[in-house]
């Protein structure tokens, strides 16, 4: 088969496929339309249920603001996020440490563990969660042929000692959860 014959064959296949798509577009759209009808009805009932739970005055005000924005896009978009500050781990730790300092200052601080305060427990949990997510991401990206160096990064000994030190404070701060064990904690490590 020469280059021109190859090109003609490919053109014939592509033209045939395009013709089949155009010919069956009505059937395809009908199937999609029939599948969408129950979903539209479900969304409409969810919306009605949600609106029934809201304050009618507040809902009417919001709908009026949306209609005004739809007619004039120079107004403030109500769908844009208006967060002025970003909640980061450092911000959470700072606010918790300020709250702890205020409690100590007014004599209201009650800690269930002398070594680990709620601030340390929460920030350690956040760090552990972050490390688990990083390990899970790395495990998904390493591929089929894992080297020994990559395996060592995922070994259970490479995880921080927070898992081993956590049971005591966890029992103090979360007494209802007695199933915690560092050996049965899902660390999302690859096998």
């Amino acid at each position: 088969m020469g280059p021109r014959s190859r090109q003609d064959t490919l053109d014939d296949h592509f033209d045939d496929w395009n013709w089949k798509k155009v010919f069956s577009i009505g059937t395809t759209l009908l199937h999609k339309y029939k599948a969408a009808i129950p979903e539209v009805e479900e969304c409409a009932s969810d919306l009605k249920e949600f609106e029934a739970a809201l304050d009618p005055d507040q809902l009417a005000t919001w709908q009026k603001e949306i209609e005004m924005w739809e007619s004039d896009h120079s107004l403030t978009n109500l769908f844009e996020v208006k967060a002025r500050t970003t909640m980061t781990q450092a911000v959470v730790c700072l606010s918790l440490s300020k709250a702890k300092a205020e409690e100590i200052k007014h004599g209201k601080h009650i800690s269930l563990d002398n070594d680990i305060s709620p601030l340390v427990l929460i920030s350690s949990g956040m760090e552990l969660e972050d490390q688990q997510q990083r390990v899970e991401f790395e495990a998904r990206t390493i591929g089929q042929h894992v080297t020994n160096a990559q395996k060592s990064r995922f070994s259970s000994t490479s995880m921080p000692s927070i898992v081993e030190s956590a049971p005591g404070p966890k029992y103090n701060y979360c007494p209802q959860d007695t199933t915690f064990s560092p050996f049965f904690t899902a660390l999302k490590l690859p096998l």
Side-chain angles (χ1 to χ4, degrees), residues 142-161:
I142 59 173
Q144 291 180 324
H145 307 291
V146 184
T147 64
N148 288 335
Q150 289 171 325
K151 285 181 184 177
S152 69
R153 283 198 312 223
F154 296 122
S155 70
S156 60
T157 57
S158 66
M159 289 303 285
S161 62

Side-chain angles (χ1 to χ4, degrees), residues 14-33:
F14 292 142
D15 289 343
D16 180 58
W17 178 244
N18 288 338
W19 180 82
K20 286 179 182 177
K21 285 194 300 186
V22 169
F23 183 76
S24 64
I25 196 166
T27 309
T28 303
L29 290 176
L30 179 64
H31 287 300
K32 290 184 178 186
Y33 179 75

Side-chain angles (χ1 to χ4, degrees), residues 70-149:
E70 287 175 347
S71 64
D72 183 12
H73 287 291
S74 64
L75 298 173
T76 304
N77 185 354
L78 300 175
F79 295 109
E80 288 181 1
V81 179
K82 298 178 182 177
R84 300 203 191 305
T85 59
T86 305
M87 186 62 67
T88 62
Q89 184 175 349
V91 171
V92 171
C93 288
L94 179 63
S95 64
L96 287 173
S97 63
K98 285 181 179 178
K100 180 181 175 183
E102 282 294 317
E103 289 175 356
I104 291 173
K105 182 179 177 182
H106 297 297
K108 296 179 182 178
H109 179 67
I110 300 172
S111 181
L112 299 175
D113 192 307
N114 293 334
D115 297 328
I116 298 178
S117 68
L119 167 65
V120 172
L121 184 70
I122 290 171
S123 61
S124 299
M126 290 170 65
E127 289 173 9
L128 182 61
E129 188 177 276
D130 183 48
Q131 288 175 349
Q132 287 176 343
Q133 289 173 353
R134 273 191 262 127
V135 165
E136 183 180 6
F137 174 75
E138 287 183 16
R140 279 187 273 128
T141 59
I142 59 173
Q144 291 180 324
H145 307 291
V146 184
T147 64
N148 288 335

